[in-house]
Amino acid sequence: MGWDAKDVALLKKLWGDGHSAGQIASRLGYSRNAVSAKLKRMGQKRGRKPPTANPRIVSVPKRKAALLAACARPADKVVSPRKPAATQPKEFTKRQLYAMLVDAVRNTG
DNA sequence: CCCTGATTCGC
DNA sequence: GCGAATCAGG
């Protein structure tokens, strides 16, 4: 596997446009996990909501200590100023997606 | 049950 | 750096 410029370009384009990781992943041929991880590595910018997932861990026994510590976290602030979105994301047609891909390839490749 | 994004760990 | 596993929520 390799994230070519075109992959990243399209990924960024779609993601920045407001598309879901699943849709992008499906189109790109990667799993949503890969897309999500890739986005994170890049410096994912989208001010997503507050950390829904707690600092969890993967290895059960090992992370158990960390998990316990995390659980013991006090907490929190509430609230958050919300701004109404002026534009709403719209689904792209094959034609549009293809156009973007072509453009991305032409520009990067 | 489907989906969403987010995070960490091992390779 | 990449991707799977996993969590947490809608």
Side-chain angles (χ1 to χ4, degrees), chain A residues 7-81:
Chain A
D7 293 316
V8 179
L10 188 59
L11 168 65
K12 281 169 52 174
K13 196 148 189 92
L14 294 170
W15 183 255
D17 193 63
H19 286 277
S20 49
Q23 291 295 302
I24 301 167
S26 200
R27 287 211 66 83
L28 273 287
Y30 303 111
S31 36
R32 41 185 307 283
N33 303 10
V35 172
S36 209
K38 180 61 176 168
L39 281 158
K40 191 174 185 50
R41 272 168 233 129
M42 304 175 114
Q44 175 206 42
K45 249 70 161 221
R46 228 205 227 178
R48 289 262 120 206
K49 334 174 222 173
T52 60
N54 296 326
R56 125 184 50 60
I57 348 284
V58 250
S59 313
V60 183
K62 187 159 125 199
R63 300 229 166 190
K64 192 125 165 250
L67 189 107
L68 290 170
C71 278
R73 279 182 188 188
D76 29 89
K77 322 185 147 186
V78 246
V79 145
S80 17

